[in-house]
Amino acid sequence: MSARLSNKIERIAICTGGGDAPGLNAVIRAVVLAAQRRKWECYGIRDGFNGLLLPERYRGNGLIRLDNEAVRGITHLGGTILGTTNRNNPLHFPITDKDGNVSEVDRSDELVHAFQLHQLDALISVGGDGSLAIANVLAQKGLRVIGVPKTIDNDLDRTVATFGFDTAVSFATEALDRLHTTAESHNRIMVVEVMGRYAGWIALHAGVAGTADVILIPEIPFDLNKVVEKINEREANERKFTIVVVAEGAKPIDGDISLLGTEIGHAERLGGIGAKVAVELAQMTNKDTRVVVLGHLLRGGSPTPHDRLLSLRFGAAAVRALAEGQSGIMVALDPPTVNYVPLEEATSRMKNVPLDCDTMLTAREVGICFGD
Ligand code: F6P
């Protein structure tokens, strides 16, 4: 199915999908204000695409009219005023039959039809790899779509950074600062688990900035014997405590990623690697060991000034892109500017930590152990 692309833009929609990230509200505000300047009406879709695919769940029709008043005073607020979800992917929408069996259907054509029904001329989709892959399919079906890269994990390709990452790194670094004093007072090993499903950006940046001794990331399967060597080396130098940062997606050389569970229609839930590492290190070293899971604390709270500015820049650039007649692209940070890159390219692979990047080299120069 191919949608009719009206040449003129009069009404646009914005949606936020996937896990939330600090800065979503700042993007929404910039989009709405920049759209108003062009005399475009702006509508927010509730909870990802649920507002259009499950309108019966909402009072009205699952769309919220966004004007100046609706976005007043939200730049500094975490979360998203539209709501979000990492369920109900329109390309693999879960349906349950009368016997309770769940299967998946592709509802993307219905979604395109809903845009036509509501006379929405364009979509600004703010999301991570999953949401932007959906945006790409919608663009291929003829919708005018611009993507905005969001994720605290910073694992989206073709942009130097996603918004939300800086806030997560700042919070994790502060947590490491706090844990240092208590770890040192008790001569303990402190294991800190941070988010990062497939990429270790948060662990690496917070770990280096927060002077961790060990950083375990998904890109480098780890050997705890190497970690114990590092702990023993510190002990020999009268450093009786050790800080270990582990990304949730890190795995041992001879093992698998640690899962909390799998649910139909939902990505695998990662977690628990911090506790496993802590138990093993305690056994291997006989040292008092504690684990802290930062988890969703990394996604909450107020965006840092860096993330607010990036979010506002992305939102404004997305509206400029529409005004220039663009579609099927993602706005991307390419310092000193914000560029446009094809959604197809941005979603075709993950941005992992390059093992030879400057931050990795720095970490190794200052003696941080990666368990390899
Ligand atoms: O994609 C961001 C992320 O924070 C991942 O690091 C994490 O695995 C996931 O979201 C958890 O999401 P939720 O608990 O909302 O399903």
Side-chain angles (χ1 to χ4, degrees):
M1 174 175 185
S2 182
R4 177 188 57 87
L5 273 186
S6 62
N7 290 329
K8 210 164 161 238
I9 295 179
E10 288 171 354
R11 286 155 69 97
I12 68 166
I14 177 168
C15 73
T16 54
D20 66 344
L24 282 167
N25 283 324
V27 175
I28 295 169
R29 177 166 170 266
V31 165
V32 170
L33 297 185
Q36 299 245 113
R37 288 176 66 81
R38 291 166 172 84
K39 309 250 179 301
W40 302 347
E41 277 179 30
C42 195
Y43 290 83
I45 306 172
R46 305 279 300 273
D47 301 336
F49 289 111
N50 282 357
L52 289 179
L53 293 177
L54 300 167
E56 67 283 358
R57 283 195 183 175
Y58 303 92
R59 207 179 285 162
N61 59 11
L63 294 175
I64 308 175
R65 172 85 166 93
L66 295 172
D67 56 12
N68 288 12
E69 196 53 43
V71 297
R72 192 190 291 269
I74 63 169
T75 303
H76 66 293
L77 297 181
T80 158
I81 60 167
L82 300 177
T84 186
T85 178
N86 41 21
R87 288 159 193 275
N88 296 343
N89 180 336
L91 309 179
H92 306 279
F93 199 90
I95 45 165
T96 311
D97 68 16
K98 57 179 177 18
D99 300 322
N101 304 314
V102 183
S103 55
E104 292 178 346
V105 287
D106 180 350
R107 296 188 65 188
S108 55
D109 283 343
E110 261 179 83
L111 201 50
V112 173
H113 183 68
F115 273 80
Q116 291 166 328
L117 196 73
H118 293 286
Q119 295 177 307
L120 295 165
D121 304 311
L123 167 70
I124 293 179
S125 176
V126 192
D129 53 347
S131 305
L132 295 182
I134 298 165
N136 189 33
V137 169
L138 295 178
Q140 285 165 358
K141 288 184 181 246
L143 261 189
R144 197 191 298 275
V145 182
I146 306 294
V148 177
K150 164 242 65 167
T151 162
I152 65 163
D153 290 357
N154 196 36
D155 57 3
L156 269 171
D157 201 25
R158 300 296 313 274
T159 180
V160 166
T162 52
F163 71 85
F165 173 61
D166 185 66
T167 309
V169 169
S170 302
F171 182 82
T173 305
E174 192 197 329
L176 292 177
D177 291 347
R178 286 169 183 257
L179 291 169
H180 257 94
T181 53
T182 172
E184 184 160 17
S185 305
H186 286 266
N187 291 334
R188 279 176 172 158
I189 299 172
M190 201 61 88
V191 179
V192 185
E193 182 181 309
V194 297
M195 281 189 171
R197 295 177 75 81
Y198 311 113
W201 293 104
I202 297 175
L204 176 66
H205 282 227
V208 175
T211 67
D213 307 296
V214 179
I215 300 175
L216 305 176
I217 58 176
E219 291 83 349
I220 307 178
F222 60 82
D223 175 355
L224 283 185
N225 292 305
K226 301 285 179 187
V227 177
V228 172
E229 275 174 27
K230 173 71 183 175
I231 294 168
N232 290 342
E233 181 192 307
R234 285 177 59 74
E235 298 273 327
N237 287 323
E238 288 304 306
R239 308 296 281 160
K240 305 279 185 201
F241 72 98
T242 294
I243 305 280
V244 179
V245 180
V246 53
E248 61 182 352
K251 59 175 183 195
I253 33 171
D254 50 1
D256 253 328
I257 52 168
S258 180
L259 293 179
L260 290 178
T262 43
E263 296 163 53
I264 294 169
H266 192 268
E268 287 174 328
R269 286 185 59 212
L270 271 60
I273 188 66
K276 290 179 185 165
V277 165
V279 167
E280 286 201 43
L281 286 180
Q283 283 166 357
M284 292 166 86
T285 62
N286 226 2
K287 281 186 72 70
D288 214 9
T289 306
R290 295 289 185 271
V291 60
V292 175
V293 180
L294 295 183
H296 294 79
L297 288 169
L298 296 164
R299 295 223 307 240
S302 190
T304 57
H306 172 94
D307 274 339
R308 292 181 204 185
L309 180 58
L310 186 58
S311 304
L312 292 166
R313 291 174 69 196
F314 278 167
V319 171
R320 278 201 305 277
L322 280 180
E324 289 166 17
Q326 299 274 357
S327 180
I329 57 101
M330 177 185 88
V331 297
L333 182 63
D334 181 9
T337 192
V338 171
N339 258 340
Y340 310 145
V341 297
L343 271 170
E344 184 74 38
E345 285 177 25
T347 54
S348 59
R349 61 170 209 159
M350 193 141 287
K351 185 179 71 186
N352 288 110
V353 173
L355 299 186
D356 59 352
C357 71
D358 173 69
T359 311
M360 281 295 296
L361 298 181
T362 305
R364 297 221 189 248
E365 300 284 1
V366 300
I368 293 174
C369 163
F370 286 90
D372 59 346

